[in-house]
Amino acid sequence: MQTYCIVGPTASGKSAMALEIAEKIGGEIVSADSMQLYRTLDIGCAKPTKEEQRRVPHHLIDVLDIHEPCDIFRFLQLAEKALEDIRARGKVPVIAGGTGFYVKALLRGLDDLPGDRALREELEAEYAGEDGFSRLRERMKILDPGAFAKLSDCRRKLLRALEVRLVSGRSILDFQNGPRPLRFPVRAWSLVWPPELLRERIAQRTHAMLNAGWIDEAERTIAAGLLHTPTAHQALGYRLIGEHLAGNLSRAELEEKIIIATAQFARRQRTWFRHQHPEAAVLEMPQ
RNA sequence: AGGAGUGUAGCUCAGUUGGCCAGAGCAGCGGUCUCCAAAACCGCAGGUCGUGAGUUCGAGCCUCACCGCUCCUG
């Protein structure tokens, strides 16, 4: 049985298209969005409305508390279960999402890299200081020159490579086997907008979200500790709204900054989808 | 109208006593991506230095005129 998949940057119209397809074929939507996973991050993450969620069953929305951490494996665990359930019911999954890394991993799986959470935290602490990064680089330079050559600029990835090296005795590069095949048949589209047009949509949506109560929502979630959560704190806009509430940003400046941050995010997504999803047919938007 | 000030990348500005090819931050664009991905990281482009003339071997920096903007006084 076929599985559908729609990817695209934020504000590109994925949700609407997924809804349309799902209704037409009697499918169920699986959100592949790192932030819609979290409860109470509603307006700010442009979640489908309750009404839309009633029209078609949605999965992986509101499944985590903001204080819970999430990473690619947690997501895969949840998403694979959702796909399994949907198929068991004889329904068609319609994956829709803007978190490219998650979508790709769901479609193709990940290589089996060794890991050790506890060790990871130790290393994180060990290389935390001012000179931590240079010490990390020095160590990797001799321990795993290959990985160092490829990752030397990125602290986070170097750290992970060191973890793999220490756990397995081998380079992280040895575990990464290039492009993986799709794990199941999929019909996929990538929504592509002219940048200026998408930016305009982002601006309009941001304005509407702010007027729809996003500021109150942010105030509540910040009071609940959002800014100190392991993963959810990354959600765009909330921190800026906090600045606004603290009087450091005017309403106009707030809106402008959110639009810029969102457009920058959309650009990164654009780059990702352009290169990482050969299975997806490009759909020029609008229409 | 008179006086003072100002006019350098899309924006905010640096540019020493006139002399490397005019710089930065932000924005923009491109790229990477296998346990933080709404993240992390790498790279690129862009300026008739308001306009015109003059001084000088040489002017963004000096002189003059004009234009624009700002402030002050009437």
Side-chain angles (χ1 to χ4, degrees), chain A residues 33-281:
Chain A
D33 184 301
S34 66
M35 291 301 150
Q36 291 188 0
L37 252 4
Y38 290 101
R39 278 172 234 121
T40 74
L41 265 33
D42 302 331
I43 299 169
C45 295
K47 272 180 199 160
T49 62
K50 293 288 172 221
E51 162 60 21
E52 290 169 328
Q53 295 193 44
R54 251 191 300 279
R55 279 162 60 192
V56 169
H58 283 65
H59 302 268
L60 300 198
I61 288 177
D62 292 335
V63 297
L64 298 177
D65 179 85
I66 57 170
H67 298 282
E68 294 181 74
C70 185
D71 56 38
I72 185 74
F73 283 96
R74 184 75 197 279
F75 171 80
L76 282 179
Q77 205 178 334
L78 295 167
E80 281 160 9
K81 175 74 163 53
L83 289 181
E84 203 176 300
D85 291 350
I86 293 169
R87 287 169 181 147
R89 262 188 256 105
K91 301 286 190 150
V92 179
V94 179
I95 300 165
T99 304
F101 184 35
Y102 286 7
V103 177
K104 184 177 178 182
L106 182 56
L107 262 35
R108 297 170 186 277
L110 295 171
D111 289 315
D112 214 7
L113 304 203
D116 181 334
R117 203 103 221 170
L119 173 63
R120 188 127 201 267
E121 277 162 33
E122 266 176 51
L123 294 173
E124 181 65 58
E126 185 177 345
Y127 295 102
E130 246 317 297
D131 63 329
F133 188 34
S134 55
R135 280 177 15 240
L136 171 63
R137 290 168 57 114
E138 283 311 308
R139 184 167 182 193
M140 280 299 283
K141 193 184 237 171
I142 46 179
L143 201 57
D144 186 347
F148 176 78
K150 194 179 175 193
L151 309 169
S152 66
D153 286 324
C154 192
R155 177 199 148 79
R156 186 185 287 187
K157 287 169 185 169
L158 252 198
L159 211 51
R160 169 96 250 263
L162 174 59
E163 174 194 351
V164 170
R165 178 61 231 264
L166 293 178
V167 171
S168 67
R170 293 160 60 195
S171 170
I172 189 170
L173 268 25
D174 294 344
F175 296 92
Q176 300 177 330
N177 300 313
R180 312 179 106 254
L182 292 166
R183 297 197 288 181
F184 43 81
V186 62
R187 179 108 172 76
W189 295 272
S190 173
L191 309 191
V192 176
W193 286 78
E196 327 77 55
L197 266 185
L198 186 67
R199 192 185 182 90
E200 190 47 44
R201 297 190 108 220
I202 288 171
Q204 281 169 13
R205 194 182 69 173
T206 298
H207 188 75
M209 281 162 42
L210 250 11
N211 285 334
W214 189 10
I215 293 176
D216 290 338
E217 174 180 301
E219 187 164 27
R220 286 195 302 275
T221 51
I222 288 172
L226 176 68
L227 268 24
H228 307 288
T229 57
T231 308
H233 78 272
Q234 293 169 165
L236 279 176
Y238 291 85
R239 175 164 269 108
L240 286 170
I241 293 177
E243 290 293 315
H244 171 245
L245 291 170
N248 301 325
L249 279 181
S250 73
R251 167 61 194 255
E253 290 170 328
L254 169 68
E255 192 168 316
E256 182 59 28
K257 280 182 185 287
I258 291 178
I259 290 169
I260 288 171
T262 306
Q264 292 176 330
F265 168 47
R267 183 162 57 74
R268 272 176 270 130
Q269 290 177 300
R270 194 191 307 156
T271 303
W272 175 279
F273 293 128
R274 197 143 56 193
H275 301 281
Q276 306 294 325
H277 291 263
E279 77 284 352

